[in-house]
Amino acid sequence: AQKITQTQPGMFVQEKEAVTLDCTYDTSDPSYGLFWYKQPSSGEMIFLIYQGSYDQQNATEGRYSLNFQKARKSANLVISASQLGDSAMYFCGLYNFNKFYFGSGTKLNVKP
Amino acid sequence: GAVVSQHPSWVICKSGTSVKIECRSLDFQATTMFWYRQFPKQSLMLMATSNEGSKATYEQGVEKDKFLINHASLTLSTLTVTSAHPEDSSFYICSARGRDRVRQETQYFGPGTRLLVL
C-alpha cells in the first residue's frame, strides 16, 4: 500500500528564514515520483517541485529544494528565504502506478 | 504552459438537481485527467481517473452513478454530480497529466470548483 505522511499540521517561520516541511512515504515499488504542491487560500494547487525515485541529485526549483533520502523514505521540502506569500497549505504527494496520493498537508505561516 | 481551467468556479444549486463541471487542458493534450474532492482543512481525495476515450476508474467508495465522468477528448473531461444533495457540497478539483512538452509525471491542477447544494 502507498502512503504519504506529513506530521506537521502547522508551522511558523520568520520572514527571510528557511523552513523544512517534513514528508515520509511508503511504497513497495522501486519506481515512483514525489511532489510538493502549494495551496493558497484561493484553493488552486500550485506545482512546486518533483523528484523521481531514480534521480541521483536532489531536486531544486528556485527557493524550493527537496531533501530526498531514499533509504529513509523521506522527501522533505526546504523553502529558503521565506516570503509572506509563502503562507499556504503544502501537500506532499507520491506518484505510483498512474495514481497520485497526497499527505494531509502542512499549513505554513510566515511571520513578518 | 500547462494550464488547466475549470468551469464554473462557483455553483450553488438546489437539492435534487444535477451539476456539470468542466475541466480543460488549454495548452497541452491530457492523456489522463483526475478528479478530486476536498473538504475544508483536509487533503485531496481522489475520486476517479479518466483516460481519453475510455471509462473512468473510480476509487473505492465513490458512486459511479452519482459522479458521472466523461473524457471525450484529449483536452476536456466533465464531472456531473447527479441529483446533488447537501452532503455533496465540497471543493472539486481536476488535474491533468499530459505528454509532449509537459513533464509526463506531473499533474497540473485546475483552479477548482466550489459546489454548494442547498
Side-chain angles (χ1 to χ4, degrees):
Chain A
Q2 285 84 5
K3 185 179 177 182
I4 289 277
T5 303
Q6 291 180 253
T7 57
Q8 306 154 313
M11 289 278 288
F12 283 92
V13 65
Q14 198 70 39
E15 190 179 10
K16 298 180 183 178
E17 292 185 351
V19 63
T20 298
L21 305 184
D22 295 341
C23 174
T24 58
Y25 60 93
D26 184 25
T27 180
S28 56
D29 197 291
S31 178
Y32 52 90
L34 295 155
F35 298 85
W36 278 92
Y37 284 87
K38 171 185 177 181
Q39 187 180 43
S41 56
S42 59
E44 61 185 309
M45 292 284 283
I46 302 169
F47 168 73
L48 296 179
I49 198 166
Y50 166 81
Q51 178 87 43
S53 59
Y54 293 117
D55 292 344
Q56 296 295 317
Q57 293 186 326
N58 287 345
T60 60
E61 294 281 351
R63 294 187 298 112
Y64 305 107
S65 61
L66 199 151
N67 185 1
F68 181 45
Q69 298 190 38
K70 197 170 184 177
R72 292 186 176 183
K73 292 190 175 179
S74 73
N76 299 339
L77 176 70
V78 180
I79 305 175
S80 61
S82 298
Q83 301 172 357
L84 295 178
D86 294 335
S87 294
M89 279 291 286
Y90 289 80
F91 291 98
C92 178
L94 169 69
Y95 167 72
N96 204 190
F97 292 116
N98 200 34
K99 282 191 177 182
F100 293 85
Y101 304 87
F102 288 96
S104 55
T106 296
K107 184 167 177 58
L108 177 66
N109 284 291
V110 180
K111 298 186 292 183
Chain B
V3 178
V4 177
S5 70
Q6 264 185 260
H7 177 80
S9 55
W10 267 100
V11 59
I12 302 174
C13 67
K14 290 184 178 181
S15 184
T17 60
S18 294
V19 175
K20 180 185 280 188
I21 303 171
E22 291 187 350
C23 177
R24 292 181 186 272
S25 57
L26 298 183
D27 55 356
F28 68 99
Q29 293 184 323
T31 52
T32 307
M33 285 185 167
F34 305 87
W35 286 95
Y36 294 86
R37 184 174 181 177
Q38 186 180 31
F39 292 105
K41 298 184 180 181
Q42 292 188 24
S43 187
L44 282 72
M45 182 193 79
L46 179 64
M47 299 174 65
T49 302
S50 74
N51 294 292
E52 186 265 339
S54 62
K55 289 185 178 180
T57 302
Y58 290 81
E59 294 300 301
Q60 193 172 12
V62 178
E63 300 176 57
K64 299 178 183 180
D65 297 330
K66 174 76 173 175
F67 300 100
L68 301 178
I69 292 173
N70 183 275
H71 193 162
S73 75
L74 283 172
T75 59
L76 174 65
S77 176
T78 60
L79 167 68
T80 302
V81 183
T82 61
S83 186
H85 291 282
E87 57 266 29
D88 298 325
S89 298
S90 188
F91 188 53
Y92 293 87
I93 311 177
C94 74
S95 70
R97 188 164 70 95
R99 60 186 184 197
D100 302 327
R101 61 185 183 84
V102 299
R103 194 205 305 270
Q104 293 190 20
E105 305 87 354
T106 301
Q107 55 177 338
Y108 298 91
F109 285 85
T113 297
R114 297 190 187 276
L115 171 64
L116 177 60
V117 184
L118 302 176

